[in-house]
Amino acid sequence: MSNQDPHNQRDSLFSAPIANLGDWSFDERVAEVFPDMVKRSIPGYSNIISMIGMLAERFIMPDSQIYDLGCSLGAATLSIRRAISADISADDCKTEGCRIIAVDNSPAMIERCRRHIDAFKSSIPVEVLEQDILDADIQNASMVVLNFTLQFLHPDDRQTMLDKIYAGLKPGGVLVLSEKFNFEDEQMGELLFNMHYDFKRANGYSELEISQKRSMLENVMRTDSVETHKSRLKKAGFQHVEVWYQCFNFGSLLAIKGADQ
């Protein structure tokens, strides 16, 4: 990640046995090591972040809002801000009147996100909100990003969230939905699952670290198949839905609201 805080640490949170693992939380300890954690845990993460900026250049509209829901340390927000700041001097500037709204319910993440945003000077305003994304007021949006966020919502809330995003998007607006996937084809699912763990081992995680983190996540991160995601997005009203990036069992979908809607 290009916006790493120099004080961020290497992720060794689970390198020793933990008696009471409990459920996963985006607390102070996780926030401190988060850039290293996602780099070593999520295949293709840096590519997705970079390309979110490229997508912003293509989809944002003047006098609109861009939402980064579940913004964590602000990587997607910064990618978007850098990309559209480069457009600011163009004669047909598409960024005029644009504003980014970054939302996360973790105080530790939000505190660091604000530092990262403040460190990058730009004329594109960013509002950072400590808030449950289900309570976010989404309106006049040309782009919404859910970057590995929906999977942490209760399954019963996911359609509601997508419906709300669709209603708040301008015609021609886009949702970027990045997630960890499961697979209806069990053999393929097992292969990609195992390749992901090979990726983590290759990045220096031990079997103990992998096992303990998996145990903490299993009650709070419930993954869906690509087919389930597409079905929800179509139900919300999106006319155009497709996977635009995938590496093993991680990937990202684009959902575009029809220009005539």
Side-chain angles (χ1 to χ4, degrees):
M1 287 169 50
S2 58
N3 62 311
Q4 284 194 16
D5 187 320
H7 300 295
N8 281 317
Q9 304 172 14
R10 184 172 174 83
D11 175 20
S12 58
L13 296 182
F14 310 108
S15 58
I18 300 172
N20 284 314
L21 284 169
D23 286 340
W24 182 265
S25 173
F26 290 97
D27 56 17
E28 186 74 26
R29 294 172 66 244
V30 170
E32 284 183 354
V33 302
F34 191 71
D36 183 66
M37 179 182 289
V38 293
K39 180 181 178 181
R40 296 166 60 208
S41 300
I42 302 179
Y45 183 82
S46 61
N47 288 336
I48 290 173
I49 291 297
S50 296
M51 292 182 214
I52 283 173
M54 294 172 63
L55 289 165
E57 291 181 284
R58 182 175 292 272
F59 281 99
I60 62 160
M61 306 172 196
D63 300 310
S64 69
Q65 303 194 123
I66 302 112
Y67 291 82
D68 182 5
L69 302 177
C71 62
S72 62
L73 302 186
T77 290
L78 283 170
S79 180
I80 293 167
R81 201 183 196 199
R82 288 190 182 100
I84 65 178
S85 292
D87 179 60
I88 206 75
S89 61
D91 292 336
D92 59 342
C93 179
K94 297 189 300 180
T95 62
E96 186 175 353
C98 288
R99 180 172 71 127
I100 303 172
I101 301 171
V103 183
D104 204 288
N105 66 355
S106 164
M109 291 290 189
I110 284 293
E111 188 271 329
R112 285 167 175 77
C113 179
R114 289 191 173 118
R115 290 208 312 257
H116 289 193
I117 298 302
D118 290 345
F120 178 71
K121 303 305 178 185
S122 168
S123 60
I124 307 296
V126 177
E127 183 178 6
V128 182
L129 301 176
E130 184 183 326
Q131 184 183 43
D132 190 318
I133 65 169
L134 288 166
D135 298 326
D137 181 21
I138 302 170
Q139 56 182 324
N140 192 38
S142 58
M143 183 175 190
V144 177
V145 175
L146 282 169
N147 205 41
F148 303 104
T149 300
L150 194 71
Q151 60 201 20
F152 289 102
L153 291 186
H154 191 281
D156 292 345
D157 292 327
R158 295 177 188 180
Q159 187 67 57
T160 301
M161 185 77 253
L162 297 176
D163 292 347
K164 185 175 184 177
I165 290 169
Y166 180 84
L169 273 170
K170 296 165 68 70
V174 66
L175 166 64
V176 181
L177 175 63
S178 308
E179 292 278 286
K180 182 179 182 181
F181 300 138
N182 62 41
F183 297 88
E184 296 178 3
D185 183 324
E186 291 185 10
Q187 183 172 339
M188 188 61 70
E190 183 177 4
L191 170 63
L192 296 176
F193 179 91
N194 289 332
M195 291 182 76
H196 173 225
Y197 283 115
D198 288 344
F199 172 86
K200 294 182 77 169
R201 293 182 190 101
N203 281 323
Y205 281 118
S206 68
E207 298 300 323
L208 176 64
E209 287 174 296
I210 293 170
S211 174
Q212 291 192 131
K213 185 178 179 183
R214 183 176 65 238
S215 296
M216 292 183 72
L217 282 167
E218 62 186 3
N219 290 327
V220 296
M221 189 180 79
R222 303 177 181 91
T223 60
D224 292 312
S225 67
V226 171
E227 291 82 3
T228 296
H229 285 299
K230 286 186 174 182
S231 176
R232 283 203 196 103
L233 290 163
K234 292 283 189 179
K235 184 177 180 181
F238 288 98
Q239 287 186 320
H240 311 285
V241 179
E242 193 52 81
V243 175
W244 66 280
Y245 187 92
Q246 184 175 337
C247 186
F248 307 144
N249 52 341
F250 288 80
S252 190
L253 296 98
L254 290 181
I256 303 171
K257 185 170 182 175
D260 58 346
Q261 294 179 310

